[in-house]
Amino acid sequence: GGGRAGGAAPGGRGGAAAPGAQAEVAVTPVARGVWRFAGGTMAIEFADHITLYELNGSNARVKQVVTQAHQLVPGKRATEVIWSHHHFDHSSGLRQAVAEGLTVISRRDNGVIFREMASRRAPNFPDDLERNFQPLKFIPVDDHLQLKDASMTVDIYHVIANNHLADGVLAYIPEHRLYIEADVATAAEELQWWGDSFLDNINYRKLDVEKVLPVHMDIMTFEQAVNMVKPGIQRAKEYCAEMVAKGNWFPGCPAFVR
């Protein structure tokens, strides 16, 4: 979600949108050539196209975000999307993205699941992919994939040390020191079950991070992210100790943190 209230009706005239129509999605400029759509999609400008990170949510939201991404920079269309991982709250827009003609970039093993999702026919409940069926276009990521041209560089890395994201990928933009992530630091705030992974990935990849662009939460500085994660790690450890003392082996305990 994250639609902006009071958007203009089709044709640019004021008034309510048609029933069931997707409202315009709010867009926040982050840095030169980088935007964040409300609801958790990032857009990155290259020399001749736009690359997205994550297209979660409903088909209507995905369609609207892609439409707006096409309009961010005159003459540049969204052509590809980096997908963080296959969990359904992140990958629910996959079929719509394929129907929009986007190439999907993700961890290699996610491609197995994504091909299964995109190849299924849906004659009884037709979506845009069923109505305009086309195969998934997929670029695999193993440990590291760099997207680079004269205008922009984006490094895509396999997420390490995270039992929630065995096949997750994060993105890093060196020019702006931006860390784009889903479920590494921001899967939960109160209890950080795998919170060490946030700093482990930064240290392992030798990243110099100024801001974190999450899918699930608002943009935050590196210091804000650390100040959220570290107390959450301690709370997770304390919670597990409390559950074990009660003889309640709560799923997720012992916490995957040091």
Side-chain angles (χ1 to χ4, degrees):
R4 183 165 59 195
R13 298 181 179 178
Q22 170 69 42
E24 183 177 335
V25 180
V27 183
T28 301
V30 178
R32 183 198 68 82
V34 183
W35 300 263
R36 185 183 187 276
F37 286 87
T41 298
M42 268 52 75
I44 307 164
E45 179 188 0
F46 284 82
D48 60 0
H49 69 280
I50 301 290
T51 296
L52 303 175
Y53 182 99
E54 211 82 310
L55 277 171
N56 51 318
S58 68
N59 288 347
R61 177 191 180 271
V62 170
K63 190 177 185 69
Q64 180 65 32
V65 167
V66 172
T67 297
Q68 289 179 228
H70 290 329
Q71 300 166 355
L72 283 173
V73 182
K76 297 183 183 181
R77 294 177 62 81
T79 60
E80 58 192 10
V81 53
I82 303 163
W83 231 295
S84 67
H85 62 299
H86 64 262
H87 294 168
F88 194 69
D89 58 321
H90 294 266
S91 64
S92 56
L94 179 88
R95 285 179 61 89
Q96 186 64 40
V98 175
E100 298 290 331
L102 300 184
T103 296
V104 174
I105 304 170
S106 192
R107 179 78 170 155
R108 185 178 296 274
D109 285 351
N110 289 332
V112 177
I113 299 170
F114 291 164
R115 285 189 183 89
E116 173 74 11
M117 293 169 63
S119 64
R120 292 296 182 112
R121 305 307 300 255
N124 296 325
F125 303 95
D127 55 7
D128 282 355
L129 185 57
E130 173 63 26
R131 287 185 282 267
N132 180 29
F133 200 79
Q134 52 190 299
L136 170 71
K137 294 176 289 187
F138 185 77
I139 297 175
V141 179
D142 290 313
D143 186 59
H144 173 224
L145 178 68
Q146 186 176 80
L147 308 179
K148 183 175 183 178
D149 64 15
S151 175
M152 180 63 70
T153 298
V154 176
D155 289 297
I156 305 169
Y157 294 108
H158 173 218
V159 173
I160 66 159
N162 195 309
N163 63 352
H164 178 71
L165 288 174
D167 283 306
V169 296
L170 61 88
Y172 177 70
I173 302 179
E175 176 189 352
H176 304 308
R177 300 161 59 200
L178 298 178
Y179 181 123
I180 305 174
E181 62 87 44
D183 287 7
V184 181
T186 56
E189 182 175 355
E190 182 67 19
L191 299 175
Q192 287 278 348
W193 296 106
W194 37 85
D196 287 334
S197 178
F198 173 62
L199 291 176
D200 285 348
N201 277 276
I202 290 174
N203 293 332
Y204 181 69
R205 304 298 183 182
K206 297 179 172 56
L207 307 181
D208 179 15
V209 176
E210 179 178 321
K211 287 185 179 179
V212 179
L213 274 62
V215 170
H216 282 316
M217 297 183 188
D218 292 332
I219 300 167
M220 60 186 83
T221 65
F222 172 72
E223 290 75 17
Q224 287 171 329
V226 170
N227 291 338
M228 177 190 71
V229 168
K230 285 191 172 180
I233 291 173
Q234 186 59 34
R235 286 191 294 266
K237 289 159 64 174
E238 291 170 355
Y239 181 80
C240 283
E242 177 186 345
M243 291 298 103
V244 170
K246 294 178 179 179
N248 179 5
W249 293 96
F250 186 82
C253 294
F256 191 68
V257 289
R258 291 185 292 276

mmCIF file with all atom_site columns, all heavy atoms in Angstrom, residues 47-63:
data_model
loop_
_atom_site.group_PDB
_atom_site.id
_atom_site.type_symbol
_atom_site.label_atom_id
_atom_site.label_alt_id
_atom_site.label_comp_id
_atom_site.label_asym_id
_atom_site.label_entity_id
_atom_site.label_seq_id
_atom_site.pdbx_PDB_ins_code
_atom_site.Cartn_x
_atom_site.Cartn_y
_atom_site.Cartn_z
_atom_site.occupancy
_atom_site.B_iso_or_equiv
_atom_site.pdbx_formal_charge
_atom_site.auth_seq_id
_atom_site.auth_comp_id
_atom_site.auth_asym_id
_atom_site.auth_atom_id
_atom_site.pdbx_PDB_model_num
ATOM 1   N N   . ALA A 1 47 ? 21.637 5.077  -17.101 1.00 0.00 ? 47 ALA A N   1
ATOM 2   C CA  . ALA A 1 47 ? 21.779 5.970  -18.252 1.00 0.00 ? 47 ALA A CA  1
ATOM 3   C C   . ALA A 1 47 ? 20.584 5.912  -19.190 1.00 0.00 ? 47 ALA A C   1
ATOM 4   O O   . ALA A 1 47 ? 20.188 6.935  -19.762 1.00 0.00 ? 47 ALA A O   1
ATOM 5   C CB  . ALA A 1 47 ? 23.063 5.637  -19.014 1.00 0.00 ? 47 ALA A CB  1
ATOM 6   N N   . ASP A 1 48 ? 19.988 4.728  -19.357 1.00 0.00 ? 48 ASP A N   1
ATOM 7   C CA  . ASP A 1 48 ? 18.897 4.618  -20.326 1.00 0.00 ? 48 ASP A CA  1
ATOM 8   C C   . ASP A 1 48 ? 17.678 3.849  -19.810 1.00 0.00 ? 48 ASP A C   1
ATOM 9   O O   . ASP A 1 48 ? 16.804 3.496  -20.586 1.00 0.00 ? 48 ASP A O   1
ATOM 10  C CB  . ASP A 1 48 ? 19.406 3.953  -21.614 1.00 0.00 ? 48 ASP A CB  1
ATOM 11  C CG  . ASP A 1 48 ? 19.942 2.544  -21.376 1.00 0.00 ? 48 ASP A CG  1
ATOM 12  O OD1 . ASP A 1 48 ? 19.934 2.068  -20.214 1.00 0.00 ? 48 ASP A OD1 1
ATOM 13  O OD2 . ASP A 1 48 ? 20.365 1.908  -22.365 1.00 0.00 ? 48 ASP A OD2 1
ATOM 14  N N   . HIS A 1 49 ? 17.619 3.593  -18.501 1.00 0.00 ? 49 HIS A N   1
ATOM 15  C CA  . HIS A 1 49 ? 16.475 2.856  -17.961 1.00 0.00 ? 49 HIS A CA  1
ATOM 16  C C   . HIS A 1 49 ? 16.385 3.058  -16.452 1.00 0.00 ? 49 HIS A C   1
ATOM 17  O O   . HIS A 1 49 ? 17.276 3.648  -15.839 1.00 0.00 ? 49 HIS A O   1
ATOM 18  C CB  . HIS A 1 49 ? 16.589 1.353  -18.273 1.00 0.00 ? 49 HIS A CB  1
ATOM 19  C CG  . HIS A 1 49 ? 17.696 0.673  -17.530 1.00 0.00 ? 49 HIS A CG  1
ATOM 20  N ND1 . HIS A 1 49 ? 19.018 0.737  -17.938 1.00 0.00 ? 49 HIS A ND1 1
ATOM 21  C CD2 . HIS A 1 49 ? 17.700 -0.075 -16.392 1.00 0.00 ? 49 HIS A CD2 1
ATOM 22  C CE1 . HIS A 1 49 ? 19.775 0.056  -17.093 1.00 0.00 ? 49 HIS A CE1 1
ATOM 23  N NE2 . HIS A 1 49 ? 19.005 -0.440 -16.146 1.00 0.00 ? 49 HIS A NE2 1
ATOM 24  N N   . ILE A 1 50 ? 15.313 2.554  -15.879 1.00 0.00 ? 50 ILE A N   1
ATOM 25  C CA  . ILE A 1 50 ? 15.087 2.569  -14.442 1.00 0.00 ? 50 ILE A CA  1
ATOM 26  C C   . ILE A 1 50 ? 15.098 1.128  -13.936 1.00 0.00 ? 50 ILE A C   1
ATOM 27  O O   . ILE A 1 50 ? 14.459 0.245  -14.531 1.00 0.00 ? 50 ILE A O   1
ATOM 28  C CB  . ILE A 1 50 ? 13.730 3.225  -14.083 1.00 0.00 ? 50 ILE A CB  1
ATOM 29  C CG1 . ILE A 1 50 ? 13.663 4.663  -14.603 1.00 0.00 ? 50 ILE A CG1 1
ATOM 30  C CG2 . ILE A 1 50 ? 13.470 3.158  -12.583 1.00 0.00 ? 50 ILE A CG2 1
ATOM 31  C CD1 . ILE A 1 50 ? 14.564 5.635  -13.905 1.00 0.00 ? 50 ILE A CD1 1
ATOM 32  N N   . THR A 1 51 ? 15.805 0.888  -12.850 1.00 0.00 ? 51 THR A N   1
ATOM 33  C CA  . THR A 1 51 ? 15.792 -0.414 -12.176 1.00 0.00 ? 51 THR A CA  1
ATOM 34  C C   . THR A 1 51 ? 15.050 -0.258 -10.855 1.00 0.00 ? 51 THR A C   1
ATOM 35  O O   . THR A 1 51 ? 15.279 0.705  -10.114 1.00 0.00 ? 51 THR A O   1
ATOM 36  C CB  . THR A 1 51 ? 17.226 -0.911 -11.912 1.00 0.00 ? 51 THR A CB  1
ATOM 37  O OG1 . THR A 1 51 ? 17.887 -1.138 -13.156 1.00 0.00 ? 51 THR A OG1 1
ATOM 38  C CG2 . THR A 1 51 ? 17.224 -2.211 -11.112 1.00 0.00 ? 51 THR A CG2 1
ATOM 39  N N   . LEU A 1 52 ? 14.176 -1.186 -10.545 1.00 0.00 ? 52 LEU A N   1
ATOM 40  C CA  . LEU A 1 52 ? 13.411 -1.160 -9.298  1.00 0.00 ? 52 LEU A CA  1
ATOM 41  C C   . LEU A 1 52 ? 13.992 -2.177 -8.312  1.00 0.00 ? 52 LEU A C   1
ATOM 42  O O   . LEU A 1 52 ? 14.651 -3.137 -8.714  1.00 0.00 ? 52 LEU A O   1
ATOM 43  C CB  . LEU A 1 52 ? 11.941 -1.472 -9.560  1.00 0.00 ? 52 LEU A CB  1
ATOM 44  C CG  . LEU A 1 52 ? 11.228 -0.561 -10.557 1.00 0.00 ? 52 LEU A CG  1
ATOM 45  C CD1 . LEU A 1 52 ? 9.802  -1.052 -10.813 1.00 0.00 ? 52 LEU A CD1 1
ATOM 46  C CD2 . LEU A 1 52 ? 11.211 0.877  -10.064 1.00 0.00 ? 52 LEU A CD2 1
ATOM 47  N N   . TYR A 1 53 ? 13.740 -1.944 -7.042  1.00 0.00 ? 53 TYR A N   1
ATOM 48  C CA  . TYR A 1 53 ? 14.055 -2.938 -6.007  1.00 0.00 ? 53 TYR A CA  1
ATOM 49  C C   . TYR A 1 53 ? 12.753 -3.238 -5.288  1.00 0.00 ? 53 TYR A C   1
ATOM 50  O O   . TYR A 1 53 ? 12.191 -2.375 -4.621  1.00 0.00 ? 53 TYR A O   1
ATOM 51  C CB  . TYR A 1 53 ? 15.091 -2.397 -5.021  1.00 0.00 ? 53 TYR A CB  1
ATOM 52  C CG  . TYR A 1 53 ? 15.507 -3.385 -3.933  1.00 0.00 ? 53 TYR A CG  1
ATOM 53  C CD1 . TYR A 1 53 ? 16.680 -4.123 -4.047  1.00 0.00 ? 53 TYR A CD1 1
ATOM 54  C CD2 . TYR A 1 53 ? 14.734 -3.575 -2.794  1.00 0.00 ? 53 TYR A CD2 1
ATOM 55  C CE1 . TYR A 1 53 ? 17.068 -5.019 -3.057  1.00 0.00 ? 53 TYR A CE1 1
ATOM 56  C CE2 . TYR A 1 53 ? 15.110 -4.468 -1.802  1.00 0.00 ? 53 TYR A CE2 1
ATOM 57  C CZ  . TYR A 1 53 ? 16.281 -5.185 -1.940  1.00 0.00 ? 53 TYR A CZ  1
ATOM 58  O OH  . TYR A 1 53 ? 16.650 -6.085 -0.947  1.00 0.00 ? 53 TYR A OH  1
ATOM 59  N N   . GLU A 1 54 ? 12.265 -4.461 -5.448  1.00 0.00 ? 54 GLU A N   1
ATOM 60  C CA  . GLU A 1 54 ? 11.064 -4.991 -4.802  1.00 0.00 ? 54 GLU A CA  1
ATOM 61  C C   . GLU A 1 54 ? 9.783  -4.426 -5.416  1.00 0.00 ? 54 GLU A C   1
ATOM 62  O O   . GLU A 1 54 ? 9.635  -3.204 -5.588  1.00 0.00 ? 54 GLU A O   1
ATOM 63  C CB  . GLU A 1 54 ? 11.077 -4.701 -3.304  1.00 0.00 ? 54 GLU A CB  1
ATOM 64  C CG  . GLU A 1 54 ? 10.366 -5.738 -2.467  1.00 0.00 ? 54 GLU A CG  1
ATOM 65  C CD  . GLU A 1 54 ? 11.243 -6.951 -2.183  1.00 0.00 ? 54 GLU A CD  1
ATOM 66  O OE1 . GLU A 1 54 ? 11.832 -7.505 -3.134  1.00 0.00 ? 54 GLU A OE1 1
ATOM 67  O OE2 . GLU A 1 54 ? 11.356 -7.345 -1.012  1.00 0.00 ? 54 GLU A OE2 1
ATOM 68  N N   . LEU A 1 55 ? 8.872  -5.317 -5.740  1.00 0.00 ? 55 LEU A N   1
ATOM 69  C CA  . LEU A 1 55 ? 7.538  -4.937 -6.193  1.00 0.00 ? 55 LEU A CA  1
ATOM 70  C C   . LEU A 1 55 ? 6.529  -5.771 -5.414  1.00 0.00 ? 55 LEU A C   1
ATOM 71  O O   . LEU A 1 55 ? 5.917  -6.702 -5.933  1.00 0.00 ? 55 LEU A O   1
ATOM 72  C CB  . LEU A 1 55 ? 7.385  -5.145 -7.705  1.00 0.00 ? 55 LEU A CB  1
ATOM 73  C CG  . LEU A 1 55 ? 7.917  -4.016 -8.579  1.00 0.00 ? 55 LEU A CG  1
ATOM 74  C CD1 . LEU A 1 55 ? 7.914  -4.415 -10.054 1.00 0.00 ? 55 LEU A CD1 1
ATOM 75  C CD2 . LEU A 1 55 ? 7.102  -2.732 -8.378  1.00 0.00 ? 55 LEU A CD2 1
ATOM 76  N N   . ASN A 1 56 ? 6.409  -5.453 -4.161  1.00 0.00 ? 56 ASN A N   1
ATOM 77  C CA  . ASN A 1 56 ? 5.512  -6.172 -3.273  1.00 0.00 ? 56 ASN A CA  1
ATOM 78  C C   . ASN A 1 56 ? 4.112  -5.564 -3.330  1.00 0.00 ? 56 ASN A C   1
ATOM 79  O O   . ASN A 1 56 ? 3.906  -4.504 -3.902  1.00 0.00 ? 56 ASN A O   1
ATOM 80  C CB  . ASN A 1 56 ? 6.057  -6.113 -1.838  1.00 0.00 ? 56 ASN A CB  1
ATOM 81  C CG  . ASN A 1 56 ? 6.378  -4.690 -1.416  1.00 0.00 ? 56 ASN A CG  1
ATOM 82  O OD1 . ASN A 1 56 ? 6.939  -3.910 -2.177  1.00 0.00 ? 56 ASN A OD1 1
ATOM 83  N ND2 . ASN A 1 56 ? 6.009  -4.321 -0.202  1.00 0.00 ? 56 ASN A ND2 1
ATOM 84  N N   . GLY A 1 57 ? 3.169  -6.258 -2.726  1.00 0.00 ? 57 GLY A N   1
ATOM 85  C CA  . GLY A 1 57 ? 1.814  -5.736 -2.649  1.00 0.00 ? 57 GLY A CA  1
ATOM 86  C C   . GLY A 1 57 ? 0.893  -6.310 -3.710  1.00 0.00 ? 57 GLY A C   1
ATOM 87  O O   . GLY A 1 57 ? 1.200  -7.303 -4.366  1.00 0.00 ? 57 GLY A O   1
ATOM 88  N N   . SER A 1 58 ? -0.235 -5.657 -3.879  1.00 0.00 ? 58 SER A N   1
ATOM 89  C CA  . SER A 1 58 ? -1.261 -6.140 -4.808  1.00 0.00 ? 58 SER A CA  1
ATOM 90  C C   . SER A 1 58 ? -0.852 -5.908 -6.253  1.00 0.00 ? 58 SER A C   1
ATOM 91  O O   . SER A 1 58 ? 0.037  -5.112 -6.559  1.00 0.00 ? 58 SER A O   1
ATOM 92  C CB  . SER A 1 58 ? -2.578 -5.406 -4.533  1.00 0.00 ? 58 SER A CB  1
ATOM 93  O OG  . SER A 1 58 ? -2.449 -4.036 -4.885  1.00 0.00 ? 58 SER A OG  1
ATOM 94  N N   . ASN A 1 59 ? -1.542 -6.607 -7.154  1.00 0.00 ? 59 ASN A N   1
ATOM 95  C CA  . ASN A 1 59 ? -1.308 -6.384 -8.582  1.00 0.00 ? 59 ASN A CA  1
ATOM 96  C C   . ASN A 1 59 ? -1.564 -4.928 -8.959  1.00 0.00 ? 59 ASN A C   1
ATOM 97  O O   . ASN A 1 59 ? -0.842 -4.347 -9.776  1.00 0.00 ? 59 ASN A O   1
ATOM 98  C CB  . ASN A 1 59 ? -2.208 -7.302 -9.409  1.00 0.00 ? 59 ASN A CB  1
ATOM 99  C CG  . ASN A 1 59 ? -1.765 -8.749 -9.346  1.00 0.00 ? 59 ASN A CG  1
ATOM 100 O OD1 . ASN A 1 59 ? -0.662 -9.059 -8.899  1.00 0.00 ? 59 ASN A OD1 1
ATOM 101 N ND2 . ASN A 1 59 ? -2.633 -9.646 -9.799  1.00 0.00 ? 59 ASN A ND2 1
ATOM 102 N N   . ALA A 1 60 ? -2.599 -4.337 -8.343  1.00 0.00 ? 60 ALA A N   1
ATOM 103 C CA  . ALA A 1 60 ? -2.937 -2.943 -8.661  1.00 0.00 ? 60 ALA A CA  1
ATOM 104 C C   . ALA A 1 60 ? -1.811 -2.011 -8.233  1.00 0.00 ? 60 ALA A C   1
ATOM 105 O O   . ALA A 1 60 ? -1.442 -1.078 -8.954  1.00 0.00 ? 60 ALA A O   1
ATOM 106 C CB  . ALA A 1 60 ? -4.247 -2.550 -7.982  1.00 0.00 ? 60 ALA A CB  1
ATOM 107 N N   . ARG A 1 61 ? -1.234 -2.260 -7.048  1.00 0.00 ? 61 ARG A N   1
ATOM 108 C CA  . ARG A 1 61 ? -0.123 -1.415 -6.590  1.00 0.00 ? 61 ARG A CA  1
ATOM 109 C C   . ARG A 1 61 ? 1.078  -1.567 -7.516  1.00 0.00 ? 61 ARG A C   1
ATOM 110 O O   . ARG A 1 61 ? 1.706  -0.580 -7.902  1.00 0.00 ? 61 ARG A O   1
ATOM 111 C CB  . ARG A 1 61 ? 0.285  -1.766 -5.157  1.00 0.00 ? 61 ARG A CB  1
ATOM 112 C CG  . ARG A 1 61 ? 1.493  -0.942 -4.706  1.00 0.00 ? 61 ARG A CG  1
ATOM 113 C CD  . ARG A 1 61 ? 2.122  -1.402 -3.401  1.00 0.00 ? 61 ARG A CD  1
ATOM 114 N NE  . ARG A 1 61 ? 3.251  -0.540 -3.071  1.00 0.00 ? 61 ARG A NE  1
ATOM 115 C CZ  . ARG A 1 61 ? 4.497  -0.753 -3.483  1.00 0.00 ? 61 ARG A CZ  1
ATOM 116 N NH1 . ARG A 1 61 ? 4.792  -1.813 -4.224  1.00 0.00 ? 61 ARG A NH1 1
ATOM 117 N NH2 . ARG A 1 61 ? 5.465  0.096  -3.160  1.00 0.00 ? 61 ARG A NH2 1
ATOM 118 N N   . VAL A 1 62 ? 1.412  -2.808 -7.854  1.00 0.00 ? 62 VAL A N   1
ATOM 119 C CA  . VAL A 1 62 ? 2.565  -3.040 -8.720  1.00 0.00 ? 62 VAL A CA  1
ATOM 120 C C   . VAL A 1 62 ? 2.379  -2.347 -10.058 1.00 0.00 ? 62 VAL A C   1
ATOM 121 O O   . VAL A 1 62 ? 3.291  -1.681 -10.561 1.00 0.00 ? 62 VAL A O   1
ATOM 122 C CB  . VAL A 1 62 ? 2.804  -4.550 -8.899  1.00 0.00 ? 62 VAL A CB  1
ATOM 123 C CG1 . VAL A 1 62 ? 3.842  -4.818 -9.987  1.00 0.00 ? 62 VAL A CG1 1
ATOM 124 C CG2 . VAL A 1 62 ? 3.246  -5.178 -7.584  1.00 0.00 ? 62 VAL A CG2 1
ATOM 125 N N   . LYS A 1 63 ? 1.208  -2.477 -10.624 1.00 0.00 ? 63 LYS A N   1
ATOM 126 C CA  . LYS A 1 63 ? 0.931  -1.837 -11.919 1.00 0.00 ? 63 LYS A CA  1
ATOM 127 C C   . LYS A 1 63 ? 1.083  -0.323 -11.818 1.00 0.00 ? 63 LYS A C   1
ATOM 128 O O   . LYS A 1 63 ? 1.663  0.326  -12.694 1.00 0.00 ? 63 LYS A O   1
ATOM 129 C CB  . LYS A 1 63 ? -0.476 -2.207 -12.390 1.00 0.00 ? 63 LYS A CB  1
ATOM 130 C CG  . LYS A 1 63 ? -0.796 -1.804 -13.821 1.00 0.00 ? 63 LYS A CG  1
ATOM 131 C CD  . LYS A 1 63 ? -2.180 -2.291 -14.216 1.00 0.00 ? 63 LYS A CD  1
ATOM 132 C CE  . LYS A 1 63 ? -2.450 -1.986 -15.689 1.00 0.00 ? 63 LYS A CE  1
ATOM 133 N NZ  . LYS A 1 63 ? -1.612 -2.807 -16.584 1.00 0.00 ? 63 LYS A NZ  1
#
